[in-house]
Amino acid sequence: MEETNKPVRELSRLARLSLTPQEEEELAGRLEEMVGYLHALSQVEHGAEVEAPSAVPFRPDQVEPSLDGDKLLNQAPQVRDGYVVTPRSVGEGGAE
Amino acid sequence: MNWEIVMGLETHVELSTESKIFCSCSTAFGGAPNSQCCPVCMGLPGALPVLNQKVVEYGVKVGLALGCSITPVSRFDRKNYFYPDLPKGYQISQLYAPLCRNGRVEVAGTTIGIHEIHMEEDAGKLYHDPATGETLCDFNRCGVPLLEIVTEPDFRTSEQVVAYLKKLRDSLQYLGVSDGKMEEGSLRCDVNLSVRPVGSDTLGTRTEMKNLGSFQAIARAIQFESQRQISLLERGERVVQETRRFDEEKGETFSMRSKEEARDYRYFPEPDLPPVVLSREYVEGIRENLPELGEAKRRRYAQQYQLPEYDCQMVTSHPALARFFEELLALGTPPKQGTNWIMGEVLGALSERSLSPGQMPMTPKTLARLIALVGEGKLNRNTAVKVFEAVFDTDGDVDEYVAAHGLEQVQDVELVERIVVQVLEENPQSVADYRGGKEKAFGFLVGQTMRKLQGKADPQTVRRLLLERLGQE
């Protein structure tokens, strides 16, 4: 099980979650199960007809109160003057 | 060797909806940092996006205005990249089935193909603090709706690029879907550019230029980058496919990243959003209600009202001005007088106050009344301009102001005539000078007469009466 637990440990470190060995074990099992679901896709015949999607209602363009600022910022490891602080990032982001 | 420049544009348009694309947070600009965020736009576990109907409507409007076909079933995809401005770790965009495709726009005598238009969400804003070396994140802009408009590589000159962007901004404003302000980032443009020998039909290696904040910067960046590529090729070197940033101060582009370092965005279909299914009736309903755009108005004004091209251009330069002009006409203002007042006094007053046409304090009714008073001979043009200045900010009552300040033009020709005689008698030297051929003396006599009449006479009448008298003896 040691090898299958490795991705779980990696992910939990990135997500800043501390997992007990039992939780690690359980999540590894679930992850494997999910990968199994994907195998179902390989059973689908190539070019198979897909059911036409039905229209789904959209959301009206109305503003609702946002999350309370403190509640949001409490989740961040470091905050300054209302901003979330991260280590200096190199390169650029932005919608591309 | 002669070279040809080949360019295509990717333009991001910030839509002027009230709420964000996938959640109900406000899109208002300038809020306190991180005050307009929720679990959806912050990508907290378990939060699900729901599409804002206005974004689809605006997207379809722009697509139709740019001659696109609207995709009956379009879909969203995830574009994955890891950067602090994107708390979800991916941007919801459209890659495989964008909202609009295959449009065309006529610009400066050439046809520009629109490859596609897709909907997507904006990322947050980062501020780098050089003092501490830290990065500060404000996520208010996360999830603000964008349209990305991608053209075919149909541009050959920077003039065509700028003309296209101006036309696009004009259309966005007339459609009422975006303020189209480049300086505030609601219109952001990337230019893909390559060069090839004239006559060749294979495309050269292209570079992508980002950070182009004004029409002028775009023209300069194109000039610099095309020259850079041509010099490389003429020296027998090659152009590297890369993303370049334009430095406005230096007027140069410099490399940001090459293709080798290009990101792999690992696109995949967005599982949290259903496909966007649009009926023919929905699309046709929007098509039928498209407003008349700037270019169509310009053509119509020129034809219907016989106005000079310049006038048509000026009064349609902003939808609020065109609306103002059309309301003036509906109130009986002659078209040419309407454009004269708008181009002169109205635009002057707005610019003095740093107001946009959308913030005009004066109503068309007030200006129409003022113009009518001039037309009826009750105010002369100079006095009318003073009244305009006095009532512009408060949209005050023109008739009341004229009455309260006794500005009504002297209608009594006999009175004007008496004053003219008096002025001629009092200024024999000027009369002699005029008769001796000094044109300037006539202006002095007009001025003296107007002064005695407290500026309230019709200057044309004064001139006519003076000339009559001076010609008699």
Side-chain angles (χ1 to χ4, degrees), chain A residues 5-58:
Chain A
N5 286 4
K6 207 174 154 196
V8 173
R9 271 205 299 278
E10 281 294 316
L11 288 170
S12 60
R13 190 183 63 82
L14 286 171
R16 293 170 172 264
L17 295 173
S18 32
L19 301 177
T20 63
Q22 285 88 339
E23 284 171 322
E24 236 172 56
E25 200 69 36
E26 192 198 326
L27 281 172
R30 283 212 244 158
L31 206 57
E32 208 152 340
E33 207 177 318
M34 279 184 243
V35 172
Y37 296 150
L38 295 180
H39 287 306
L41 287 177
S42 56
Q43 315 289 314
V44 179
E45 216 175 300
H46 188 68
E49 282 283 315
V50 182
E51 205 180 312
S54 56
V56 175
F58 303 132

Side-chain angles (χ1 to χ4, degrees), chain B residues 238-254:
Chain B
R238 61 187 192 95
V239 174
V240 180
Q241 184 172 342
E242 62 186 354
T243 305
R244 299 178 71 85
R245 186 172 277 263
F246 180 63
D247 184 321
E248 283 216 49
E249 251 166 61
K250 291 191 183 137
E252 295 174 7
T253 64
F254 61 90

Side-chain angles (χ1 to χ4, degrees), chain B residues 314-343:
Chain B
M314 292 299 281
V315 293
T316 56
S317 61
H318 192 284
L321 274 188
R323 231 179 357 257
F324 192 89
F325 173 65
E326 288 178 14
E327 284 175 39
L328 279 183
L329 297 186
L331 291 162
T333 303
K336 182 60 186 147
Q337 289 187 29
T339 58
N340 283 350
W341 276 88
I342 289 178
M343 295 188 300

Side-chain angles (χ1 to χ4, degrees), chain B residues 23 44 201 222 239 245 282 310 352 360:
Chain B
C23 63
L44 300 188
D201 52 9
I222 290 171
V239 174
R245 186 172 277 263
Y282 174 82
Y310 180 77
E352 265 170 37
M360 178 114 60

Side-chain angles (χ1 to χ4, degrees), chain B residues 128-371:
Chain B
H128 301 283
D129 184 345
T132 61
E134 290 166 333
T135 295
L136 305 176
C137 314
D138 175 9
F139 299 118
N140 284 349
R141 204 178 60 183
C142 278
V144 166
L146 299 176
L147 289 181
E148 181 172 339
I149 304 172
V150 184
T151 75
E152 300 292 351
D154 291 341
F155 297 96
R156 297 292 176 270
T157 66
S158 60
E159 288 78 18
Q160 290 170 352
V161 170
V162 171
Y164 163 83
L165 287 170
K166 284 189 173 161
K167 184 167 176 173
L168 178 64
R169 183 185 59 181
D170 190 78
S171 303
L172 295 169
Q173 289 176 340
Y174 274 91
L175 291 168
V177 302
S178 171
D179 62 21
K181 283 185 186 155
M182 224 172 194
E183 59 282 14
E184 286 177 20
S186 24
L187 193 64
R188 310 197 283 260
C189 172
D190 303 338
V191 179
N192 289 298
L193 186 150
S194 63
V195 297
R196 65 183 174 193
V198 169
S200 161
D201 52 9
T202 44
L203 289 170
T205 306
R206 68 184 160 86
T207 59
E208 181 181 7
M209 285 184 286
K210 291 187 169 292
N211 193 31
L212 304 170
S214 67
F215 293 134
Q216 203 203 1
I218 289 169
R220 284 170 63 215
I222 290 171
Q223 167 71 17
F224 176 86
E225 181 60 14
S226 54
Q227 273 312 314
R228 190 188 68 88
Q229 291 191 12
I230 291 169
S231 306
L232 279 175
L233 296 173
E234 286 184 340
R235 285 202 303 269
E237 294 174 39
R238 61 187 192 95
V239 174
V240 180
Q241 184 172 342
E242 62 186 354
T243 305
R244 299 178 71 85
R245 186 172 277 263
F246 180 63
D247 184 321
E248 283 216 49
E249 251 166 61
K250 291 191 183 137
E252 295 174 7
T253 64
F254 61 90
S255 179
M256 276 164 73
R257 61 183 133 90
S258 70
K259 198 194 174 193
E260 285 72 41
E261 317 158 38
R263 291 169 174 152
D264 173 5
Y265 292 113
R266 294 174 293 126
Y267 275 101
F268 63 85
E270 166 60 64
D272 288 345
L273 282 161
V276 181
V277 183
L278 301 177
S279 69
R280 180 187 281 271
E281 296 77 54
Y282 174 82
V283 174
E284 290 313 309
I286 290 179
R287 193 195 301 274
E288 278 163 29
N289 289 307
L290 282 183
E292 185 183 29
L293 301 183
E295 205 170 76
K297 276 193 197 293
R298 280 192 277 287
R299 271 200 304 273
R300 181 166 66 80
Y301 290 174
Q303 225 170 35
Q304 197 173 340
Y305 308 124
Q306 270 85 51
L307 288 169
E309 201 184 308
Y310 180 77
D311 292 37
C312 300
Q313 188 70 40
M314 292 299 281
V315 293
T316 56
S317 61
H318 192 284
L321 274 188
R323 231 179 357 257
F324 192 89
F325 173 65
E326 288 178 14
E327 284 175 39
L328 279 183
L329 297 186
L331 291 162
T333 303
K336 182 60 186 147
Q337 289 187 29
T339 58
N340 283 350
W341 276 88
I342 289 178
M343 295 188 300
E345 285 70 24
V346 173
L347 284 176
L350 287 173
S351 114
E352 265 170 37
R353 293 158 175 80
S354 307
L355 293 175
S356 85
Q359 301 166 299
M360 178 114 60
M362 182 188 245
T363 56
K365 208 176 147 201
T366 303
L367 183 57
R369 180 65 190 142
L370 193 58
I371 297 173

